[in-house]
């Protein structure tokens, strides 16, 4: 019966497509190019998509499965202010994905929001009312011409987990797929449109959940498993439009085997001599802000006695870390320094066991990189634009960006990092490395490496738009993947301070503190010179008298970076990260382009 229905469905779509082709022929023979007629046509588009890597090998069969019938939500315009047009579900035909979208003319930008593997219901702005995931329900919440892309992304939520403790890990069964998403920008929607990267490769969809794995390599400790996960977010956004984590502080739950914690929720397996791991049974959870105080209770044997240990996500400075979507977090226990706690209740109220267990956390944060990928490996950079604010007389080395890859192939020729310093009269240079580091048999996966460049105060004069000058680039080549990073320079900020404007503009004068980018977010990084105290971020919508933020989200593409006056004689420096929407040839290579500003301010 199911097979009959399937063939009837395929037959229906074939008839529909033939009908549309006939209609299109009639329009073309009439010689009409009326825009209203174009808008009425339906366009069949094939979808090329796969899951973005967690870097670690998939631990479940469906962890990387992308369903054949994702939803496509279409918005007209740029940035988070683009307005909703339609919501259409893709269909499968001859083992391929297709979607029928309404044709849209050139002259505008269009955002295609891809929502794959949806649950049976979605929630809109709360955790109390669910709606069946169908077109009618979506249209009841998304108003064409009114609802913005930013509003839709912030309010379209997953079905919430139970508020009572869960006794199974979400998305852990072999039948469950993980919701994923992607935003693609195109210049028009017609028969030439491709829902793919510009090179024809599949889009890399982002999962809504993070993954956590525990590995024990301590010879004096035996990991038995994970007993509980506390303060777990119940919901996640179906798509993250701005990089800000959803506020779930009042919407948390717990994972546990039972109320008595009588057995581990997840049992560890021995994978080598004196090594235990939960890799085959990972923990999945929605992204969690540090304010949620999400942590794990693990059970293990030390000195022939079982104990419970509390484990939080802390960085090397013992500062709490956010848990972000599509990131993989691997706790590796290297040594047990002492006993834990006899009961779960005692472990809960204790400090995290960073003193009792010597462990490290490896974060696969490839989602925070600009990634190119083929079906074998990926290549990414932390930022594709680096701007140094520098006025010194000599060449100064900067950590311009990081490169990340999971490639294991040692290409003899196509594994290079190069500069184009000859084209910019030596105004900058690559300091190293000169080859893309790859994964080795005993090394970490993925490999993350800092790339250093030397910058002079002459570089600001070498940019396209200034006479016949060219941009300065670092080019990374790995097999058939190639990525360019634009290296730029502006003068150091005077002691009196300045406001740097990043916004849509036609300005090409490097002396003017105004650079053409359509910004989404900005963030001031922690630093030894306390930059959050003297670098403040503003939007165009902030009222007069506002003192600025160290993290900001905007809708109109404008971010103003104010550097306050320096009353000291000592120069100071700080890092600012910006994100922008990026597209090449009308199609996004990656949803977000990242910019790193290394700001030096002179002393008075």
């Amino acid at each position: 019966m199911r097979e009959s229905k399937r063939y009837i469905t395929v037959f229906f779509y074939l008839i529909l497509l033939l009908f549309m082709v006939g209609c299109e022929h009639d329009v073309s023979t009439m010689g009409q190019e009326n825009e209203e007629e174009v808008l009425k046509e339906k366009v069949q588009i094939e979808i090329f998509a796969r899951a973005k890597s967690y870097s670690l090998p998939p631990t479940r069969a469906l962890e990387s499965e992308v369903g054949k019938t994702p939803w496509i939500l279409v918005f007209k315009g740029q940035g988070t202010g683009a307005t909703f047009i339609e919501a259409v579900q893709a269909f499968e035909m001859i083992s391929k994905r297709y979607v029928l979208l309404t044709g849209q003319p050139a002259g505008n930008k269009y955002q295609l929001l891809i929502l794959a593997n949806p649950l049976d219901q979605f929630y809109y702005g709360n955790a109390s009312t669910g709606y069946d995931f169908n077109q009618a329900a979506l249209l009841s919440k998304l108003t064409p011409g009114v609802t913005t892309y930013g509003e839709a992304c912030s309010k379209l939520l997953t079905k919430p987990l139970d508020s009572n403790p869960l006794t199974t890990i979400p998305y852990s069964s072999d039948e469950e797929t993980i919701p994923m998403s992607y935003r693609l920008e195109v210049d028009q929607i017609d028969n030439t449109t491709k829902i793919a990267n510009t090179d024809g490769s599949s889009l890399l969809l982002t999962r809504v959940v993070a993954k956590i794995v525990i590995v024990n390599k301590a010879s004096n400790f035996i990991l038995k498993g994970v007993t509980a996960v506390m303060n777990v977010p119940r919901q996640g956004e179906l798509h993250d439009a701005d990089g800000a984590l959803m506020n779930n502080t009042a919407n948390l739950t717990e994972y546990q085997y039972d109320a008595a914690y009588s057995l581990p929720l997840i049992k560890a397996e021995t994978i080598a001599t004196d090594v235990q791991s939960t890799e085959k049974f990972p923990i999945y959870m929605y992204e969690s802000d540090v304010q949620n105080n999400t942590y794990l209770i693990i059970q293990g044997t030390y000195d022939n006695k079982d104990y419970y240990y509390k484990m939080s996500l802390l960085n090397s400075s013992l500062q709490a870390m956010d848990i972000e979507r599509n990131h993989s977090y691997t706790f590796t226990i290297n040594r047990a320094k002492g006993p834990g706690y006899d009961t779960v209740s005692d472990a809960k109220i204790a400090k995290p066991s960073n003193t009792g267990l010597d462990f490290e956390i490896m974060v696969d944060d490839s989602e925070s990189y600009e990634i190119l990928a083929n079906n074998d490996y990926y290549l990414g950079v932390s930022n594709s634009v680096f701007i140094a604010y520098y006025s010194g007389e000599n060449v100064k080395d900067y950590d311009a960006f990081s490169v990340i890859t999971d490639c294991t192939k040692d290409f003899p020729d196509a594994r290079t990092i190069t500069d184009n310093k000859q084209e910019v009269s030596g105004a900058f240079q690559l300091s190293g490395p000169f080859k893309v580091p790859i994964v080795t048999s005993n090394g970490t996966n993925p490999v993350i490496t800092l790339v250093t460049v030397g910058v002079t105060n002459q570089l600001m004069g070498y940019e396209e738009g200034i006479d016949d000058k060219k941009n300065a680039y670092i080019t990374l080549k790995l097999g058939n993947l190639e990525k360019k990073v634009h290296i730029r320079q502006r003068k150091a900020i005077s002691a009196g301070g300045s406001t740097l404007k990043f916004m849509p503009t036609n300005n090409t004068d490097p002396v003017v503190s105004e650079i053409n980018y359509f910004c989404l977010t900005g963030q001031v990084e922690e630093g030894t010179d306390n930059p959050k105290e003297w670098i403040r971020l503003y939007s165009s919508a902030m009222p007069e008298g506002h003192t600025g933020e160290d993290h900001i989200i905007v809708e109109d593409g404008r971010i103003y970076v104010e550097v306050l006056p320096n009353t000291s004689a000592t120069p100071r420096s700080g890092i600012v990260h910006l994100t922008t929407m990026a597209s090449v040839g009308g199609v996004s290579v990656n949803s977000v382009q990242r910019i790193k500003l290394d700001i030096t301010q002179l002393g008075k």
Side-chain angles (χ1 to χ4, degrees), residues 196-437:
N197 287 317
T198 50
D199 61 2
S201 61
S202 297
L203 302 174
L204 299 179
L205 274 59
T206 299
R207 301 170 186 83
V208 301
V209 293
K211 179 170 74 172
I212 298 177
V213 172
I214 315 295
V215 177
N216 174 55
K217 295 183 178 180
S219 59
N220 64 341
F221 182 78
I222 299 174
L223 175 66
K224 299 187 72 173
V226 178
T227 301
V229 187
M230 313 301 298
N231 302 328
V232 181
R234 295 176 57 214
Q235 263 182 317
E237 294 173 343
L238 291 177
H239 180 72
D240 179 11
D242 53 27
L245 272 64
M246 178 180 171
N247 186 349
N248 263 311
T249 52
N251 193 24
L252 304 173
T253 188
E254 174 185 342
Y255 302 164
Q256 60 178 221
Y257 179 81
D258 58 25
Y261 305 106
S262 60
L263 288 171
L265 172 68
I266 295 173
K267 292 183 179 180
E269 288 191 338
T270 299
I271 60 173
T273 303
D274 294 330
V275 179
Q276 304 88 43
S277 173
T278 65
E279 185 176 327
K280 289 187 178 180
F281 310 100
I283 297 165
Y284 297 106
M285 70 170 66
Y286 296 119
E287 54 192 356
S288 183
D289 188 276
V290 293
Q291 299 178 74
N292 295 335
N293 187 30
T294 301
Y295 62 89
L296 288 70
I297 302 293
I298 69 166
Q299 186 179 21
T301 303
Y302 174 77
D303 199 17
N304 296 318
K305 184 178 178 181
D306 289 348
Y307 292 101
Y308 297 100
Y309 296 82
K310 179 178 181 179
M311 300 181 75
S312 294
L313 270 80
L314 306 176
N315 61 23
S316 58
S317 301
L318 302 185
Q319 300 297 312
M321 299 166 56
D322 292 331
I323 300 173
E324 301 183 54
R325 67 178 58 209
N326 210 77
H327 285 43
S328 174
Y329 300 85
T330 301
F331 288 82
T332 300
I333 302 168
N334 297 310
R335 185 169 64 94
K337 298 180 181 179
Y341 295 87
D342 293 330
T343 67
V344 172
S345 297
D346 286 343
K348 282 182 178 181
I349 64 172
K351 290 184 177 180
S353 297
N354 295 65
T355 55
L357 294 175
D358 178 9
F359 70 86
E360 59 188 25
I361 300 177
M362 186 195 82
V363 182
D364 167 23
D365 59 346
S366 57
E367 172 60 10
S368 62
Y369 286 73
E370 296 181 35
I371 299 288
L372 293 175
N374 52 34
N375 290 325
D376 193 12
Y377 57 90
Y378 65 79
L379 172 69
V381 293
S382 56
N383 48 283
S384 59
V385 178
F386 173 74
I387 307 177
Y389 287 78
Y390 172 64
S391 297
E393 294 298 323
N394 301 316
V395 177
K396 181 177 180 179
D397 279 346
Y398 286 91
D399 292 334
F401 61 94
S402 294
V403 57
I404 183 173
T405 185
D406 64 348
C407 180
T408 60
K409 293 178 170 58
D410 187 4
F411 295 101
D413 300 314
R415 189 163 75 85
T416 59
I417 305 178
T418 59
D419 60 33
N420 67 331
K421 66 179 181 180
Q422 299 300 327
E423 295 182 335
V424 296
S425 303
F428 92 116
Q429 64 184 22
L430 171 65
S431 300
F434 300 95
K435 296 187 74 172
V436 178

Side-chain angles (χ1 to χ4, degrees), residues 454-465:
V455 174
T456 74
N457 61 13
Q458 301 298 310
L459 182 59
M460 63 187 291
Y462 290 89
E463 295 201 353
E464 292 178 1

